Structures are given as structure tokens and as C-alpha cells.
Amino acid sequence: MNLRNLLTATNSRLIRLEEDTLIKPFESEDNELNDFLHNDARNYLTTLLAATYLIQTNDETLAYFSLSNDSLIRSDMESAIWNRINRAIPNEKRRRTYPAVKIGRLAVAKKYAGMGFGKLILLTVREMYVTGQQRSGCRFIMVDAYRNAFLFYEKNGFRFLTQTDVDDETRIMYFDLKAV
Ligand SMILES: CC(C)(COP(=O)(O)OP(=O)(O)OC[C@H]1O[C@@H](n2cnc3c(N)ncnc32)[C@H](O)[C@@H]1OP(=O)(O)O)[C@@H](O)C(=O)NCCC(=O)NCCS
């Protein structure tokens, strides 16, 4: 199933949040993420700090995610991980910082969890940055993953960036878009 088919099956559509977009009711299992959508996402849009995308039917919000520009920086990780990342970059293009996009928030409504929305959203973000829609260079997807979602991201090809956050409730994970 691809996102288009899932949207059709659930009678929903993917839209970008604009200042005048009506945000339909949304309830994921995470209250902070619910609160962000209703009370903060629009502020992030007007201050140009994050763009939010919604999957909505006429009555409710099924899922949402928000994106911001980010960087993958040498000093944020151990040498072994940096070397592994760098091996995939041609010698003459190697830098101490690479362009990235950050998934700042991602949540699926309780009622629609386990149907594939999360996975298809990650695929959609990948497509946004490897196809013609790409407006500036972007090599990596980053996420500050919640502990309960580590496995979800790992199953979708993300890797941990460092061991220094191993005991934290959130850990930085990355995905190399050239690995697609
Ligand atoms: C985590 C979340 C985004 C996953 O979305 P979803 O639509 O339910 O996931 P999908 O149906 O696309 O599942 C894709 C795969 O990941 C697995 N998966 C989904 N959620 C998982 C979780 N929390 N832990 C482990 N695996 C998970 C599924 O079993 C599936 O595996 P498969 O491909 O082997 O069948 C969603 O459950 C959610 O919004 N949770 C609350 C908020 C949250 O934690 N957001 C992440 C913030 S970083």
C-alpha cells in the first residue's frame, strides 16, 4: 500500500498547514504531541520555524508531522559513526556538516495506529527530499525519537547517531537519503 491508496481508503488527504487551515480534532497517545498540533503548530509556521503537514478527513485529523531544516554535525557523534557516514560521501565532498531535514513532530491518531500511516509518512518525507520537489540540498533525515518509537524508526531504516544519549528518553536518529 502506498500513501495515495491509504488516503483514498480512509477518505483523507495530505495538506500543508497554512495560517487559515482548520485543524480538525486529533488524539494520539501522546498528549504533548496533541497539544503541539492544536496550540503551537501555527506559531511555528508564522515564525518560519517548522512546516506542518496534516492528514485529515472532513471530520478529524488522522496524523501529522512537522519538518524543519537541520544539520548533521561532526561534533555530535563518535568517530566510528562519523566515519561510517562519511564513507558514503565522495572524498572531495566530505565536510564537517551535512544538510538535513528534521522531523520535529510525528504522530498518528490512536484510532488509526498500526495501519501504515507512520511508515508511509516516512516514505513521503524521503520522496519530498529525493525527487524534483527538493528545493535545496538535503542528505539526511534526522529525528529526536521518543523511546517508545525507537523500534518504529529502526524498522524504517533509521540509526542512532550517538551512544551518549543511550539512557535518555529521546535519542537522535538519522536516515541517509542516498541509502534509498
Ligand atoms: C510511532 C507511530 C508514529 C507509528 O505510527 P503507525 O502508523 O502506528 O505505524 P505503522 O502502522 O506505519 O507501522 C510501521 C511499522 O512499525 C511498527 N511500529 C509502529 N509503531 C511502533 C512502536 N511504537 N514500536 C515498535 N514498532 C512499531 C509496526 O509494527 C510496523 O512494523 P512492520 O512494518 O514490521 O509491520 C505512532 O504509533 C504514534 O503516533 N505514536 C505516538 C506518538 C509518537 O510516539 N510519535 C513518535 C515521536 S518521535
Side-chain angles (χ1 to χ4, degrees):
M1 171 93 79
N2 60 29
L3 185 62
R4 189 184 294 261
N5 292 343
L6 188 55
L7 294 178
T8 306
T10 50
N11 212 6
S12 60
R13 58 199 183 103
L14 173 67
I15 57 167
R16 188 179 190 277
L17 176 74
E18 303 295 346
E19 279 188 56
D20 59 354
T21 305
L22 182 66
I23 301 173
K24 311 268 170 67
F26 177 72
E27 201 184 341
S28 77
E29 64 186 31
D30 188 292
N31 287 333
E32 228 173 276
L33 291 171
N34 301 341
D35 185 64
F36 173 85
L37 178 61
H38 292 296
N39 300 317
D40 238 359
R42 224 185 291 275
N43 298 333
Y44 273 73
L45 170 77
T46 53
T47 52
L48 304 181
L49 292 174
T52 298
Y53 296 83
L54 312 168
I55 295 178
Q56 291 193 324
T57 63
N58 286 337
D59 308 315
E60 55 185 340
T61 305
L62 278 50
Y64 83 89
F65 59 102
S66 66
L67 302 176
S68 303
N69 288 1
D70 198 10
S71 302
L72 187 139
I73 303 173
R74 163 72 188 97
S75 54
D76 286 348
M77 71 202 83
E78 295 82 347
S79 298
I81 298 178
W82 179 252
N83 291 341
R84 186 176 66 220
I85 288 171
N86 248 340
R87 269 200 292 277
I89 312 261
N91 240 329
E92 68 282 7
K93 301 282 185 300
R94 289 183 185 166
R95 302 283 182 275
R96 298 185 76 75
T97 303
Y98 294 116
V101 58
K102 180 170 186 169
I103 301 177
R105 308 277 190 304
L106 162 60
V108 176
K110 272 190 248 180
K111 208 169 131 187
Y112 295 93
M115 285 177 63
F117 275 111
K119 182 186 184 139
L120 293 174
I121 285 171
L122 295 181
L123 271 172
T124 301
V125 175
R126 277 158 56 169
E127 276 170 20
M128 287 164 84
Y129 289 89
V130 291
T131 65
Q133 289 180 52
Q134 186 188 58
R135 296 199 178 177
S136 62
C138 175
R139 175 69 190 240
F140 296 93
I141 304 176
M142 313 290 294
V143 66
D144 220 350
Y146 289 11
R147 181 163 289 281
N148 70 304
F150 291 167
L151 196 56
F152 163 72
Y153 286 108
E154 280 187 294
K155 273 188 173 175
N156 286 287
F158 282 70
R159 304 176 83 151
F160 294 108
L161 189 69
T162 172
Q163 289 305 312
T164 57
D165 57 8
V166 72
D167 294 323
D168 296 353
E169 276 314 298
T170 65
R171 294 190 67 189
I172 305 172
M173 301 183 81
Y174 73 95
F175 181 92
D176 184 350
L177 285 161
K178 264 310 245 192
V180 175

